[in-house]
Amino acid sequence: MAGGIGSRFWPLSKDDHPKQFIDVLGTGKSFIRATFERFIHDVPVENFLVVTNVKYKQLVLEHLPELREDQVLCEPMRRNTAPCIAYANYRIRARRGQASIVVTPADHLVTNEAEFMRVMRTGFDFLETPQGEDALLTIGIKPSRPETGYGYIQTDSNEEVGIPTEVKRVASFKEKPDLQTAKRYVEDGHYLWNSGIFLWTLQGILKAYQSHLPELTRLFDEGKEIFGTSQEWQFIHRQFPRCENISIDYGVMERAKLRYCIPADFGWSDIGTWGSLYEHVPHDANGNALRGNVTRVQTSRSIVNVEDGVQAIVQGLDGYLVAFRDKSLLVCRMEDEQRIKEWVDAQGKK
């Protein structure tokens, strides 16, 4: 899934060039490139599909030149993750009658890729069992702190006969909590961060859509013979605006009965905010994360990120975020970074 804007990362991530196409960490790879390379040793190139906004098609092909154009599924507009995943499901069904599928965002960080792939293989092994063929499996991240920027998965402590010990039943999904609630979740020990990474069989996810999103299923069923043909784009362009704007979490996962989770720890972060970036980049002796031509004076515990060709001098800051890209400037307290999306949205309405 590579169609998001990443507005909490403004001004580094913008509508015309969102964070999945940026080398945010300075590793020499964009997030989408790193995601592709994470799977390439286990998944044949021809089995990759990227669902993105139509305006990003060429960016996807620039970052993933191994893909054919027909492996990039273009949404004419944003309708959240449930329609996005449905589109991929129907394309996969047109190509083959059955498949095991992993759905992953294109813009997440994984530092322990060997452990990541071990967890993926554990998940696929579960899907091949009788209990797993209709199961909806998600990856939960063992929390290292009481994070308020992530949703949580509550797991059931009861063990099930025939289910691998590493696979847990999901008791409930929780919204992003306030700090006190997040602390309680971490202390409880049965709550995990929701990574937004899913595994299921094609038949399992199609059954779940039929049960929980029947209208969305009906819209896609109208063209089920069209997917994979030259008429597909015209059909999607007509049907997509009619799709409900709903996430896979709300539309399916929160309503499903056969939902499971694998607790994992492979150095994951969605790098969805400047604060999460701060945790994964080097700091100077005063706790500053600096990128670009930056001179800091009496400044500590701050992020200063400026594009090439720009000089910046910052003085007297403590716990601040300063970012400049493409004629856009952000200066705010780090503690208020969760409001960046709110401010960007408000600016767009003026």
Side-chain angles (χ1 to χ4, degrees):
M1 297 184 291
I5 302 174
S7 56
R8 291 183 297 165
F9 231 126
W10 189 90
L12 196 62
S13 179
K14 290 186 173 182
D15 185 55
D16 63 339
H17 201 91
K19 73 182 177 90
Q20 57 266 34
F21 304 109
I22 300 173
D23 178 14
V24 173
L25 297 168
T27 62
K29 298 177 184 177
S30 63
F31 276 127
I32 192 172
R33 184 70 208 177
T35 303
F36 174 78
E37 292 185 4
R38 191 173 302 138
F39 285 96
I40 193 60
H41 298 296
D42 287 71
V43 179
V45 171
E46 61 269 21
N47 285 2
F48 281 83
L49 289 176
V50 178
V51 188
T52 190
N53 189 278
V54 63
K55 69 171 70 174
Y56 303 141
K57 180 178 181 178
Q58 290 309 311
L59 276 172
V60 171
L61 293 171
E62 288 172 18
H63 286 255
L64 306 178
E66 297 89 341
L67 301 190
R68 305 183 311 270
E69 281 197 38
D70 67 349
Q71 290 178 265
V72 183
L73 310 187
C74 296
E75 302 169 316
M77 60 184 59
R78 293 183 178 91
R79 277 294 185 264
N80 217 314
T81 53
C84 162
I85 292 169
Y87 186 3
N89 291 339
Y90 276 76
R91 170 64 78 82
I92 293 168
R93 188 170 78 167
R95 181 180 173 190
R96 57 179 66 191
Q98 184 53 281
S100 293
I101 302 168
V102 57
V103 178
T104 180
D107 56 358
H108 288 184
L109 170 70
V110 170
T111 59
N112 188 340
E113 300 201 348
E115 175 63 9
F116 175 85
M117 290 311 303
R118 187 197 68 79
V119 171
M120 294 297 107
R121 295 183 194 109
T122 298
F124 283 126
D125 287 345
F126 170 59
L127 296 181
E128 292 176 2
T129 67
Q131 295 90 344
E133 61 184 13
D134 287 338
L136 305 182
L137 181 63
T138 187
I139 306 301
I141 306 300
K142 298 173 184 177
S144 58
R145 61 186 183 279
E147 174 62 55
T148 61
Y150 298 150
Y152 283 72
I153 302 168
Q154 182 186 15
T155 58
D156 197 324
S157 58
N158 294 331
E159 303 291 340
E160 289 190 50
V161 176
I163 302 296
T165 56
E166 202 170 349
V167 177
K168 309 296 181 184
R169 269 274 194 178
V170 171
S172 64
F173 290 87
K174 302 294 185 181
E175 294 291 327
K176 296 175 183 178
D178 58 32
L179 184 58
Q180 287 304 116
T181 304
K183 288 180 179 178
R184 179 167 56 82
Y185 287 168
V186 174
E187 291 169 359
D188 180 279
H190 289 100
Y191 290 83
L192 305 164
W193 292 337
N194 188 348
S195 71
I197 301 171
F198 306 99
L199 297 94
W200 40 54
T201 66
L202 179 61
Q203 75 168 31
I205 190 60
L206 290 176
K207 284 181 181 179
Y209 269 79
Q210 181 66 63
S211 296
H212 308 298
L213 291 173
E215 177 58 21
L216 187 62
T217 298
R218 185 190 66 78
L219 288 172
F220 279 88
D221 272 348
E222 288 180 13
K224 60 185 177 182
E225 305 302 325
I226 290 174
F227 286 91
T229 74
S230 60
Q231 303 172 61
E232 179 181 296
W233 168 244
Q234 185 179 13
F235 173 77
I236 288 295
H237 196 271
R238 182 174 69 251
Q239 297 293 80
F240 227 72
R242 301 165 62 188
C243 293
E244 182 180 3
N245 188 336
I246 189 169
S247 71
I248 191 70
D249 299 85
Y250 285 128
V252 176
M253 297 304 292
E254 292 190 7
R255 304 171 184 177
K257 292 182 179 179
L258 295 176
R259 53 191 191 180
Y260 295 86
C261 177
I262 298 180
D265 184 6
F266 40 68
W268 174 90
S269 173
D270 74 350
I271 309 290
T273 66
W274 287 100
S276 58
L277 174 64
Y278 181 82
E279 297 177 5
H280 292 92
V281 294
H283 303 155
D284 67 14
N286 297 97
N288 298 302
L290 309 176
R291 187 169 183 186
N293 189 355
V294 178
T295 300
R296 55 116 188 127
V297 181
Q298 299 168 338
T299 291
S300 59
R301 300 184 304 120
S302 295
I303 296 178
V304 185
N305 187 302
V306 297
E307 64 186 1
D308 293 342
V310 173
Q311 288 183 301
I313 301 173
V314 294
Q315 185 270 336
L317 299 183
D318 183 12
Y320 266 76
L321 164 58
V322 180
F324 180 85
R325 177 181 177 265
D326 192 25
K327 299 181 181 179
S328 298
L329 173 67
L330 171 68
V331 181
C332 74
R333 291 189 298 266
M334 288 282 289
E335 64 189 45
D336 291 326
E337 65 155 356
Q338 293 289 343
R339 299 187 62 193
I340 292 174
K341 184 180 187 300
E342 168 194 337
W343 298 331
V344 172
D345 290 345
Q347 186 183 56
K349 294 173 183 177
K350 290 181 180 178

